[in-house]
Amino acid sequence: MSKIAELIAQYCPEGVGYRELNEVCNFRNGFAFKSNKFKESGHPILRIGNIQNRKIDTSNLIYFDLTDYSENLKPFEIVNGDILVAMSGATTGKIGRLNSSEVYYLNQRVGKFEPDTSLLLNNFLYHYLLTKSEELYALAGGGAQPNLSSTSLMKKIQIPIPALPVQEEIVNILDKFTALEAELEAELEARTRQYEYYLNKLLSFEGKDVEWKTLGEIGEFIRGSGLQKKDFTDVGVGCIHYGQIYTYYGTSATETISFVSEELSRKLKKAKKGDLIIAGVSENIEDVCKAVVWLGDEDICISGDSYAFRHAQNPKFVGYLFQTNRFLEFKKKYAQGAKVTRLRSGSLPKFKIPIPPLKEQERIVTILDKFDALVNDISVGLPAEITARREQYEYYRGKLLTFDRVNNELL
């Protein structure tokens, strides 16, 4: 930080000038690739859904063949280090920087920034734009169908232009934070794969002499009803809405984030300690029938489109079985619905699970709990460390990108 102060004193003694983005940066809109020409392999295309804040998600790509187009597509190439913005959809205003040696192509409603590097370093622009995601979303109109105009973006966003040596030093500092966070995220990804491997291996009981029973044989399903989000209160009796199961809760919980009044709670179905609370509906197969194990001492209310599964096995043992690949394949077999996914009526109680002795269930749970805490617990393990590093980055980014301002003149 002292070096930054020295550089600013040397190169920007009177402060830093600001410019509209269009004065120091070009902007390229994407090409309208035709959906009927999409391929399963070929040249990869980046769409708005691939743009995540601070990264480009290349796990779900579409492709095209150059021979299908007569246009010159060279201007729409995206290479390592390019900065992209989503211009519409759920990711509107998100800024991502490509980190790949592969060449991608820019789809419509995705924009690419091309800074004048004699004035503005690419990575300085990247770190600064990350502070503007909410402002960009607001410029797009917000709401359910945001639509960002490149003209509005380039004219209404102003950026400080300190001397290049100042930009270089700021980028060096901020890139160190992002590199450390990337290392932690890579480790988290590896640990997650390890967790999933042991989860499925420990719970397969392949080649072992163990009794198998259906969920319907070992317990009962209690369907919730009547609870809606509008019923939530600041205090009262704890409750879990089905949508919270796959958006907030992990494997187990001892506290709820929502409550209902004492009066309403008397009319609602409840989960007891040891019950699995199961989401009966979702927008996708992965989340439907996701379960959280309730381990709190007090009974809590559950919403419609959810179930409390009551049984006499180790609660977390059964909860982990709901995370296995075998259960995912079971759900794929019985899922129905397009926009809203449910399991076919009466199918869930037919799912068969292994029933080892309770002592063995406890042993397996102890092992999986350690992995679960490492990869999923936001208060400990890698998620907590990543959050801390991200907050540290954002703190220093705010400090480093705030300048004393002079009359809109470049220094």
Side-chain angles (χ1 to χ4, degrees):
M1 295 292 285
S2 59
K3 186 174 181 181
I4 293 289
E6 290 173 6
L7 289 170
I8 290 177
Q10 179 182 351
Y11 292 100
C12 318
E14 297 179 7
V16 173
Y18 280 64
R19 281 288 185 260
E20 292 176 358
L21 273 180
N22 66 330
E23 296 180 276
V24 293
C25 183
N26 292 326
F27 187 83
R28 185 173 299 280
N29 284 298
F31 179 76
F33 289 96
K34 298 175 182 177
S35 60
N36 63 348
K37 294 184 177 181
F38 289 164
K39 311 283 186 181
E40 293 185 1
S41 62
H43 298 282
I45 301 170
L46 290 180
R47 299 176 290 173
I48 53 176
N50 298 114
I51 315 303
Q52 306 293 327
N53 233 16
R54 302 176 61 187
K55 70 175 182 179
I56 308 295
D57 180 8
T58 58
S59 62
N60 183 26
L61 294 171
I62 57 172
Y63 301 84
F64 77 100
D65 192 322
L66 275 172
T67 60
D68 288 337
Y69 295 89
S70 59
E71 296 90 343
N72 176 21
L73 298 181
K74 185 75 175 176
F76 303 100
E77 290 183 355
I78 313 164
V79 297
N80 188 47
D82 279 348
I83 306 168
L84 309 181
V85 60
M87 305 290 284
S88 60
T91 58
T92 296
K94 302 292 186 186
I95 301 293
R97 178 174 59 180
L98 185 64
N99 180 24
S100 173
S101 58
E102 188 172 0
V103 175
Y104 296 81
Y105 285 80
L106 195 67
N107 196 39
Q108 61 184 341
R109 305 310 300 147
V110 180
K112 181 174 76 169
F113 296 93
E114 299 173 336
D116 177 354
T117 53
S118 68
L119 296 170
L120 177 61
L121 296 182
N122 186 71
N123 287 340
F124 182 86
L125 172 62
Y126 166 70
H127 289 294
Y128 188 77
L129 286 172
L130 287 175
T131 69
K132 297 295 179 181
S133 288
E134 291 184 8
E135 189 173 337
L136 293 176
Y137 185 76
L139 281 176
Q145 295 180 318
N147 191 29
L148 184 60
S149 157
S150 58
T151 302
S152 176
L153 183 162
M154 297 300 285
K155 289 188 67 67
K156 292 189 177 181
I157 299 295
Q158 292 191 340
I159 184 170
I161 310 293
L164 291 181
V166 177
Q167 294 185 39
E168 288 173 359
E169 185 59 23
I170 290 172
V171 166
N172 286 339
I173 294 171
L174 294 180
D175 274 355
K176 287 177 182 176
F177 284 115
T178 56
L180 178 57
E181 186 181 329
E183 289 176 9
L184 290 170
E185 287 177 339
E187 184 179 353
L188 176 60
E189 186 177 342
R191 294 295 186 185
T192 300
R193 289 196 299 269
Q194 187 181 37
Y195 165 60
E196 291 170 351
Y197 169 80
Y198 281 108
L199 174 91
N200 287 290
K201 186 174 180 63
L202 287 168
L203 296 177
S204 70
F205 289 90
E206 185 176 352
K208 293 185 178 181
D209 184 17
V210 64
E211 186 178 18
W212 290 74
K213 289 187 176 182
T214 66
L215 293 176
E217 289 175 314
I218 67 164
E220 62 171 324
F221 290 88
I222 300 150
R223 182 167 185 167
S225 63
L227 170 62
Q228 301 179 48
K229 289 182 179 179
K230 66 180 180 64
D231 297 320
F232 290 169
T233 57
D234 293 333
V235 294
V237 177
C239 66
I240 291 181
H241 187 270
Y242 76 88
Q244 296 172 332
I245 297 173
Y246 44 79
T247 57
Y248 177 82
Y249 291 101
T251 299
S252 63
T254 57
E255 297 178 347
T256 65
I257 58 169
S258 302
F259 304 89
V260 293
S261 67
E262 291 273 0
E263 180 181 2
L264 179 61
S265 73
R266 289 191 285 270
K267 305 175 185 177
L268 300 174
K269 295 293 178 66
K270 294 183 176 63
K272 297 181 177 293
K273 185 174 184 177
D275 288 354
L276 269 70
I277 305 173
I278 304 167
V281 64
S282 177
E283 295 179 354
N284 56 67
I285 292 174
E286 288 73 20
D287 287 336
V288 72
C289 289
K290 187 173 185 286
V292 54
V293 180
W294 176 244
L295 296 177
D297 292 326
E298 303 294 328
D299 294 355
I300 59 169
C301 302
I302 59 173
S303 71
D305 278 322
S306 69
Y307 300 85
F309 178 59
R310 195 159 296 160
H311 57 91
Q313 305 304 311
N314 184 300
K316 292 179 97 173
F317 177 80
V318 182
Y320 282 125
L321 286 164
F322 272 59
Q323 299 177 25
T324 59
N325 290 337
R326 197 171 62 82
F327 185 55
L328 177 61
E329 292 306 311
F330 176 86
K331 291 192 292 183
K332 289 178 180 178
K333 181 178 179 181
Y334 291 101
Q336 60 182 14
K339 292 184 178 180
V340 176
T341 303
R342 302 175 184 271
L343 293 196
R344 200 174 305 150
S345 178
S347 59
L348 187 57
K350 297 177 182 178
F351 181 62
K352 280 193 170 185
I353 67 169
I355 310 292
L358 289 175
K359 188 174 181 179
E360 175 64 5
Q361 293 184 29
E362 184 179 354
R363 185 188 73 83
I364 292 173
V365 165
T366 300
I367 296 171
L368 294 178
D369 275 353
K370 293 176 181 177
F371 281 109
D372 186 49
L374 182 64
V375 301
N376 292 320
D377 195 325
I378 60 172
S379 63
V380 297
L382 287 168
E385 194 170 351
I386 290 171
T387 298
R389 293 292 174 263
R390 187 167 297 158
E391 290 173 351
Q392 189 178 36
Y393 161 77
E394 291 173 354
Y395 171 80
Y396 281 106
R397 184 183 66 192
K399 290 282 189 182
L400 291 168
L401 296 179
T402 301
F403 303 94
D404 291 331
R405 187 168 180 160
V406 295
N407 303 325
N408 270 348
E409 296 294 334
L410 287 174
L411 300 177

